[in-house]
Structures are given as C-alpha cells and as structure tokens.
Amino acid sequence: MQPDDPRRQRILAVVDSIPPGRVATYGQVAGEAGLPGRARLVGRVLGELAGASELPWHRVVSASGRISTRPGAGPQEQGRRLRAEGVPVLHGRLDLRRHLWQAGQD
DNA sequence: TATATGACGACGA
DNA sequence: ATCGTCGCCATAT
C-alpha cells in the first residue's frame, strides 16, 4: 500500500473528520471512504500510522464498541485519549449507542 | 505459486 | 453474551 494510494488517502480523510467526543467503527470508516466491507484495510492503514500522526486515530473502535487489542501500549493510550475528550471507557469498552459518530451530521 | 496473519465484521448456534 | 466460521485483502514468508 503506497503512501499516495487513493484508498489510503480517503480513509485518512474520513478519520480526520470524526469530531471530538465521538467514535466511528472500522467498518463505518471504510464505508464512508467508499470501501464497503473493507474494515480490515482501515485497521491496516491506522496501524501504519504508528502514532506519528495528528489524526484522531483513537476515535476508531470495533463494531462491538471495544478498543481493538494490539501489541504495545496502543490500546491503553487510546482509552486515555477517549476519556480525555469525554468518552467513558471501562474495561476497554464504551457505549456506541451514546458516542457513535453520525456521519454527515456536524 | 502457496500459506499464514492481522487495529474487522456479519451470522448462526 | 460468547464462540466458530467465513468473507475480506494487503503483506510477509
């Protein structure tokens, strides 16, 4: 996946549009990016950011309302950032009903 | 060329 | 609610 791959560009643009205090699922981001059914691709792209980004990558969670596990301190950091903007995270979980981003509604 | 492995998700049991 | 299974597809080996 090249840095200038249009799919990657669209995915990052969608992530960048998620407002503070709200979260989006991997599948939701994929759909908004014009890549329905490619949730894994979203996770893959975010993984390549490796924190070296200003993008709100922490606002992307799984469809089950959980912070996806991964090696390292990523998950903990994600929970920390979400709580910092008003999204309660308990045991790696949060209430999607309450914080899911309604695309195209800001 | 072939298999394994994921920041995933929908479904059925 | 939890667990397998399967579809998905870019990368790594």
Side-chain angles (χ1 to χ4, degrees), chain A residues 57-76:
Chain A
W57 53 267
H58 58 285
R59 297 180 188 142
V60 184
V61 301
S62 72
S64 56
R66 297 189 182 206
I67 289 178
S68 295
T69 62
R70 80 203 80 143
Q76 190 181 345

Side-chain angles (χ1 to χ4, degrees), chain A residues 73-92:
Chain A
Q76 190 181 345
E77 173 63 10
Q78 183 167 12
R80 188 188 73 68
R81 293 195 186 192
L82 286 175
R83 286 189 292 272
E85 48 185 66
V87 180
V89 180
L90 279 64
H91 308 307

Side-chain angles (χ1 to χ4, degrees), chain A residues 32-57:
Chain A
E32 288 293 316
L35 299 165
R38 317 259 177 95
R40 297 191 84 144
L41 185 57
V42 174
R44 187 164 224 326
V45 169
L46 291 185
E48 293 176 344
L49 290 180
S53 172
E54 299 300 314
L55 292 176
W57 53 267

